[in-house]
């Protein structure tokens, strides 16, 4: 097991009080696997990723409960200094906007070689050659020329390729990709996803892909976790979740995706309403106020995870209601 998160709860101190951004999340990532985390803005998917990377803002965040194990080592409460032993070596991260991670006043070559020397303690010449090889591997054309260019001289897609090359410097076992294609147009998006998929096979690297877009998740993930209001409400193999979604929120997300086989001009359905305010404890199902299938019990008690078979789990009362009413097919 590369990553094991158990009952993780993360909070933020705010002027309004403590926000419970992640509320009891458990998920595993195996070697060479791509695991997706999907959900709308504010559902806690990036906070979960940042908690594992040790990148939560120190001034106002706190891990309330739970544990994070990376390569069987408990890294839940390590200091920032201790976490630097893992970041960039065992795990790395790429973000939505590579421009914010690259230094605008240094050339790509300077940034790459500096990172390589720091990480591997090799000579300038060796670091230069390694940088060239990495940039070539991620598909940067005319690499020697591009080494002398500044980040603003690269397109968005090329900048993301540079970030991927930087993340690969120490051959991490686990790569977090936080909305890596959100700022890119669809053709470049497909190229970057294909590159990530190639790299995981080549390096037997595990990837956690964080996205609000189920279409992106469907392209390369093996398993997916659907998050809502700080909890995983449904999880399972991608094919199973897409073809047999059980949670009304997952169904809503899937119904709101444009489809090439639908040619009528009717508007796409939306999930009405807003997620709950995570400042307050939620007693029952967090989706109850927006759910068209809500029952009395939903607002009063949180459902347990129901095992649907085929490693498919859903946090919803509907399967047990159907069982009681004899609706099982
Ligand atoms: Fe809807 Fe109830 Fe299921 Fe929540 S538990 S998603 S409110 S049916």
């Amino acid at each position: 097991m590369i990553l094991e998160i158990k009952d993780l709860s993360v909070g933020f101190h705010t002027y309004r009080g403590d926000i419970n951004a992640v509320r009891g999340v458990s998920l595993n990532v195996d070697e060479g696997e791509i695991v997706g985390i999907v959900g709308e803005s504010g559902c806690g998917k990036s906070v979960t990723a940042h908690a594992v990377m040790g990148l939560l803002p120190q001034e106002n965040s706190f891990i309330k409960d739970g544990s994070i194990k990376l390569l069987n080592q408990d890294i839940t409460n390590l200091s920032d200094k201790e976490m630097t032993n893992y970041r960039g070596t065992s795990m790395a991260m790429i973000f939505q906007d590579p421009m914010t991670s690259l230094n605008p006043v240094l050339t790509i070559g300077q940034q790459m070689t500096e990172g390589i020397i720091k990480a591997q303690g090799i000579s300038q010449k060796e670091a230069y050659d390694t940088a060239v090889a990495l940039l070539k591997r991620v598909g940067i054309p005319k690499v020697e020329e591009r080494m002398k260019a500044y980040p603003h001289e690269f397109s968005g897609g090329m900048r993301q390729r540079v970030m991927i090359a930087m993340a690969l410097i120490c051959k991490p076992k686990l790569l977090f990709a936080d909305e890596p294609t959100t700022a890119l147009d669809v053709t470049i998006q497909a190229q970057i996803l294909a590159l990530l998929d190639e790299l995981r096979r080549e390096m037997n690297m595990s990837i956690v892909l964080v996205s609000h877009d189920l279409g992106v998740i469907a392209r390369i993930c093996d398993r997916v976790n659907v998050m809502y209001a700080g909890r995983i409400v449904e999880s399972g193999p991608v094919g199973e979740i897409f073809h047999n979604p059980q949670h009304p929120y997952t169904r809503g997300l899937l119904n709101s995706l444009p489809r090439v086989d639908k040619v009528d001009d009717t508007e796409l359905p939306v999930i009405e309403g807003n997620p709950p305010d995570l400042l307050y404890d939620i007693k029952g199902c967090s989706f109850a106020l927006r759910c068209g299938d809500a029952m009395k019990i939903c607002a009063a008690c949180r459902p347990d995870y129901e095992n649907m078979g085929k490693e498919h789990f859903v946090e919803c009362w509907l399967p047990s209601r159907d069982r009681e009413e004899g609706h099982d097919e």
Side-chain angles (χ1 to χ4, degrees):
M1 186 80 66
I2 298 292
L3 177 69
E4 194 178 357
I5 303 177
K6 261 196 190 148
D7 290 324
L8 181 71
S9 293
V10 181
F12 291 90
H13 303 300
T14 74
Y15 69 94
R16 293 172 63 218
D18 288 352
I19 301 273
N20 304 304
V22 171
R23 305 180 301 123
V25 159
S26 297
L27 69 87
N28 297 331
V29 181
D30 283 327
E31 197 169 347
E33 193 182 33
I34 305 189
V35 174
I37 307 180
V38 70
E40 62 199 310
S41 294
C43 70
K45 53 192 190 304
S46 292
V47 173
T48 304
H50 282 70
V52 178
M53 288 293 297
L55 293 176
L56 292 171
Q58 287 178 0
E59 60 284 4
N60 70 338
S61 67
F62 58 98
I63 291 184
K64 211 171 157 184
D65 219 341
S67 65
I68 304 167
K69 276 189 183 169
L70 179 74
L71 301 167
N72 293 323
Q73 301 287 318
D74 192 334
I75 59 165
T76 322
N77 290 308
L78 294 187
S79 67
D80 194 42
K81 204 174 160 203
E82 289 166 319
M83 280 305 288
T84 52
N85 296 329
Y86 291 92
R87 280 194 297 259
T89 52
S90 303
M91 58 181 171
M93 190 164 192
I94 56 171
F95 301 90
Q96 177 177 337
D97 182 6
M99 207 51 186
T100 54
S101 310
L102 291 166
N103 188 332
V105 299
L106 293 179
T107 64
I108 293 299
Q110 286 169 320
Q111 297 184 54
M112 285 288 296
T113 46
E114 192 181 287
I116 293 166
I117 291 170
K118 225 180 192 176
Q120 299 180 9
I122 55 180
S123 71
Q124 180 80 27
K125 167 79 179 72
E126 287 169 316
Y128 181 88
D129 293 343
T130 307
V132 168
L134 278 172
L135 290 172
K136 271 189 186 155
R137 176 59 199 92
V138 298
I140 303 283
K142 299 182 189 157
V143 171
E144 280 82 1
E145 213 175 284
R146 304 303 279 159
M147 288 278 281
K148 295 178 205 139
Y150 291 88
H152 72 271
E153 297 176 274
F154 284 69
S155 65
M158 286 297 154
R159 278 197 289 267
Q160 196 56 285
R161 286 177 192 270
V162 171
M163 286 313 301
I164 294 171
M166 284 188 169
L168 298 181
I169 286 174
C170 289
K171 301 187 180 77
K173 294 297 292 172
L174 175 65
L175 176 71
F176 279 96
D178 190 0
E179 303 273 8
T181 59
T182 303
L184 306 174
D185 65 49
V186 279
T187 40
I188 307 296
Q189 187 177 85
Q191 291 170 11
I192 295 291
L193 292 174
L195 173 64
L196 288 173
D197 200 17
E198 276 168 36
L199 291 169
R200 69 103 166 223
R201 288 171 207 281
E202 211 173 286
M203 301 171 63
N204 200 23
M205 179 172 68
S206 308
I207 299 178
V208 176
L209 178 60
V210 175
S211 179
H212 67 281
D213 186 342
L214 270 169
V216 166
I217 297 288
R219 274 175 187 268
I220 59 167
C221 289
D222 302 302
R223 288 190 294 120
V224 58
N225 296 278
V226 181
M227 275 192 86
Y228 184 77
R231 286 193 60 80
I232 291 174
V233 294
E234 187 158 18
S235 65
V238 164
E240 176 65 16
I241 299 292
F242 273 73
H243 294 114
N244 186 25
Q246 293 294 314
H247 198 282
Y249 177 63
T250 314
R251 289 183 192 151
L253 285 181
L254 285 167
N255 287 339
S256 63
L257 280 180
R259 291 176 50 163
V260 283
D261 58 341
K262 274 202 168 178
V263 286
D264 57 39
D265 56 3
T266 51
E267 277 183 30
L268 286 169
V270 294
I271 305 171
E272 300 288 351
N274 293 305
D277 190 340
L278 297 180
L279 188 67
Y280 306 105
D281 280 343
I282 301 167
K283 248 173 59 191
C285 167
S286 50
F287 193 58
L289 288 175
R290 300 171 83 184
C291 180
D293 296 302
M295 301 163 275
K296 254 189 187 169
I297 191 174
C298 298
C301 308
R302 185 161 74 201
D304 289 332
Y305 284 106
E306 185 84 30
N307 186 346
M308 307 303 298
K310 301 182 190 166
E311 297 178 50
H312 181 177
F313 295 88
V314 62
E315 189 180 59
C316 177
W317 287 112
L318 287 177
S320 53
R321 181 204 66 182
D322 289 348
R323 227 184 0 259
E324 271 170 35
E325 293 182 358
H327 288 178
D328 276 359
E329 278 112 287

